[in-house]
């Protein structure tokens, strides 16, 4: 079993930055692919960014060049650095760990981009 806890969400003005964190309850990054998803009101949950166990990264086109996913293996923590935020980035952001059919989700953290 793995517990994932997100933090770092909040209210930010357009053009601003936030850094989200996802703390895992144990060391999993060498075995699990890690993901950030988001879900805006009335929309389906969508993949934002991924980092594989080997360290390869992938981004949704909508965030490419603005968001950066990373991890600190010693702290069992994954990050999402979000820059140049737009109103359309407003959503609940979820952390996900996946290995084959096994997966875990965090509780989500709200990000609101508004002036």
């Amino acid at each position: 079993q793995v517990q994932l806890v997100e933090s770092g969400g909040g209210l930010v003005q357009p053009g601003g930055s936030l850094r989200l964190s996802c703390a895992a309850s144990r060391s999993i990054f060498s075995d699990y692919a890690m993901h950030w998803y988001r879900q805006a009101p009335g929309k389906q949950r969508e993949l934002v960014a991924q980092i594989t166990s080997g360290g390869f990264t992938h981004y949704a086109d909508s965030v490419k060049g603005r968001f950066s996913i990373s991890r600190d293996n010693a702290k069992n923590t994954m990050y999402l650095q979000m820059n140049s935020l737009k109103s359309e980035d407003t959503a609940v952001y979820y952390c996900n760990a996946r290995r084959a059919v096994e997966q875990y989700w965090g509780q989500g953290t709200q990000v609101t981009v508004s002036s």
Side-chain angles (χ1 to χ4, degrees):
Q1 193 76 341
V2 177
Q3 282 75 49
L4 301 173
V5 179
E6 302 99 333
S7 61
L11 173 64
V12 63
Q13 293 186 341
S17 297
L18 279 176
R19 188 176 80 157
L20 305 183
S21 299
C22 170
S25 57
R26 59 180 177 86
S27 177
I28 61 171
F29 296 156
S30 61
D31 298 318
Y32 289 75
M34 301 296 297
H35 311 83
W36 285 101
Y37 283 81
R38 68 185 180 187
Q39 187 166 20
K43 294 189 176 181
Q44 288 190 330
R45 193 171 296 191
E46 63 174 355
L47 178 65
V48 175
Q50 174 192 42
I51 183 165
T52 69
S53 57
F56 292 99
T57 59
H58 170 80
Y59 299 92
D61 287 343
S62 59
V63 307
K64 208 169 289 184
R66 300 187 298 122
F67 290 12
S68 178
I69 189 171
S70 63
R71 67 190 186 200
D72 184 330
N73 294 339
K75 296 182 178 179
N76 297 332
T77 302
M78 176 178 68
Y79 304 98
L80 184 69
Q81 178 66 44
M82 305 186 295
N83 300 326
S84 302
L85 282 161
K86 306 174 181 180
S87 58
E88 51 262 44
D89 295 318
T90 295
V92 178
Y93 284 71
Y94 297 90
C95 172
N96 170 273
R98 186 159 64 243
R99 179 179 65 178
V101 298
E102 179 187 7
Q103 69 174 340
Y104 303 95
W105 291 92
Q107 82 289 351
T109 186
Q110 176 70 47
V111 172
T112 302
V113 184
S114 175
S115 55

